[in-house]
Amino acid sequence: MSHYTVVLICTTELQEEKPQQKQTIFKPKDHDIHKHAEGRMTLNQTAKIINQAKKECRKTLLETEAKTICAEYDIPVNKFQLAKNEKEAATQADQIGYPIVLKIVSPDISHKSDAGGVLVNLKNQADVANGYKKIIENAKKYKADAKIVGVLVQEMAPQSTEVIVGAIKDPQFGQTVMFGLGGIFVELLKDVNFRVAPLTAEDAKEMITQLKAYPLLNGYRNTPPADIDALVTIICNVSRLVMEQPEIKELDLNPIMAYPKGAKTVDARIILE
Ligand code: ADP
Ligand code: MG
């Protein structure tokens, strides 16, 4: 929960349809989190976000929404804020710290890179202001009638081994969790492992260690070993998330940066039934 900042979203879609309504997404402040005796917290934002999306008949959650849910389930995500104009983006970038990543936030653009909607490694205010314009321009070129909520200003997570945690609601087996390494390992080599939820920590560990590419996570040449326990925790928290939120049809944390100490989700997608 430590990597979290306040974000406020007013979806253009919502404003058009119901001008009196605003959608607000924010980090649960400390006083919003009610710890139970065993240390679990009451979920404030997850149910609200899912209900709001359902009200809007929107199946794909925005990255901001998906990451807010992840954070509530103790899945580490990078710092982010939503900007509505270049000036706001530049101010937020100063607060977050450079380098910065900018991303399009639109209910009509799910694969952001395909739309020229991701800019990484922006080093100063001018880069961010120009980047903001560029991203909006690219989004309009990609889909002229795309509803644009804003641009997400993000902390740039240091490069590392990229892993993926996914979940899918299988018609036969129910909520099923997936783990693999990013890029060609998933797309080309299909080197992924699945387990039916709920998962134990042992299940999660097996999903990792039984990958063909596991040696890459266990320290290879110049790459230090990844923090396997941090990945186990993420997998278990995803299992808990999809078990507690049966309306989630698909979840995709792609990529998660796996570090020698800890891990960080830099992109999250959640699709509802
Ligand atoms: P897409 O919707 O295209 O999957 P992503 O958010 O995954 O968009 O961004 C594309 C790529 O940019 C990621 O795979 C990752 O390599 C890089 N990236 C995205 N966000 C960050 C970030 N906050 N820090 C570092 N790299 C990032
Ligand atoms: Mg992605």
Side-chain angles (χ1 to χ4, degrees):
M1 303 296 290
S2 58
H3 298 294
Y4 224 71
T5 31
V6 175
V7 291
L8 177 71
I9 292 183
C10 306
T11 66
T12 44
E13 180 180 34
L14 203 58
Q15 286 170 330
E16 277 161 25
E17 283 168 20
K18 295 177 189 157
Q20 78 283 11
Q21 272 190 347
K22 276 186 179 179
Q23 179 186 11
T24 309
I25 300 170
F26 56 95
K27 174 210 176 191
K29 293 196 191 96
D30 286 347
H31 62 261
D32 287 328
I33 299 170
H34 309 294
K35 295 237 174 190
H36 294 311
E38 70 274 25
R40 289 278 310 284
M41 41 174 214
T42 312
L43 300 172
N44 292 305
Q45 293 308 306
T46 300
K48 277 188 203 163
I49 289 168
I50 291 177
N51 287 337
Q52 186 62 43
K54 274 165 52 183
K55 242 196 245 170
E56 293 171 36
C57 300
R58 192 157 51 81
K59 297 218 180 296
T60 306
L61 301 185
L62 302 170
E63 181 176 337
T64 45
E65 297 171 322
K67 280 183 171 168
T68 301
I69 293 176
C70 284
E72 274 203 334
Y73 277 86
D74 288 330
I75 297 162
V77 296
N78 59 269
K79 282 186 208 160
F80 63 87
Q81 280 187 283
L82 185 83
K84 294 290 198 177
N85 56 54
E86 314 160 33
K87 201 161 162 264
E88 224 171 70
T91 310
Q92 292 168 350
D94 276 353
Q95 286 164 1
I96 291 170
Y98 298 89
I100 283 288
V101 176
L102 294 182
K103 294 189 203 177
I104 189 72
V105 182
S106 163
D108 302 315
I109 301 173
S110 171
H111 296 277
K112 301 171 289 286
S113 312
D114 294 352
V118 180
L119 294 178
V120 300
N121 210 17
L122 305 178
K123 297 222 167 68
N124 51 49
Q125 277 209 340
D127 278 3
V128 169
N130 291 333
Y132 186 100
K133 277 186 274 187
K134 185 85 201 148
I135 283 199
I136 301 287
E137 212 179 279
N138 288 348
K140 287 187 175 150
K141 257 189 238 157
Y142 180 75
K143 199 166 190 284
D145 61 344
K147 292 188 181 91
I148 294 168
V149 179
V151 170
L152 202 50
V153 181
Q154 294 195 354
E155 166 196 16
M156 175 144 173
Q159 283 306 299
S160 192
T161 310
E162 295 190 359
V163 302
I164 300 174
V165 175
I168 189 144
K169 196 169 184 180
D170 183 88
Q172 208 173 346
F173 298 108
Q175 296 288 17
T176 306
V177 179
M178 182 274 258
F179 180 80
L181 267 80
I184 57 159
F185 293 98
V186 167
E187 285 155 25
L188 205 66
L189 306 173
K190 314 280 180 224
D191 181 22
V192 292
N193 281 326
F194 289 89
R195 290 284 186 288
V196 175
L199 269 73
T200 64
E202 268 122 75
D203 295 328
K205 193 155 187 178
E206 270 177 24
M207 287 171 80
I208 301 169
T209 55
Q210 290 177 0
L211 283 181
K212 288 191 203 82
Y214 173 64
L216 281 178
L217 287 175
N218 197 26
Y220 176 76
R221 298 208 173 153
N222 295 332
T223 315
D227 184 343
I228 302 298
D229 288 344
L231 299 178
V232 165
T233 303
I234 292 177
I235 294 170
C236 289
N237 288 344
V238 165
S239 161
R240 184 161 59 84
L241 164 56
V242 293
M243 290 304 289
E244 287 182 8
Q245 308 297 335
E247 280 151 314
I248 295 179
K249 189 175 149 220
E250 271 177 60
L251 171 148
D252 193 24
L253 309 183
N254 181 9
I256 299 168
M257 300 289 181
Y259 297 113
K261 200 164 183 314
K264 202 171 270 191
T265 304
V266 303
D267 185 24
R269 197 176 349 257
I270 290 178
I271 300 172
L272 303 176
E273 271 182 328

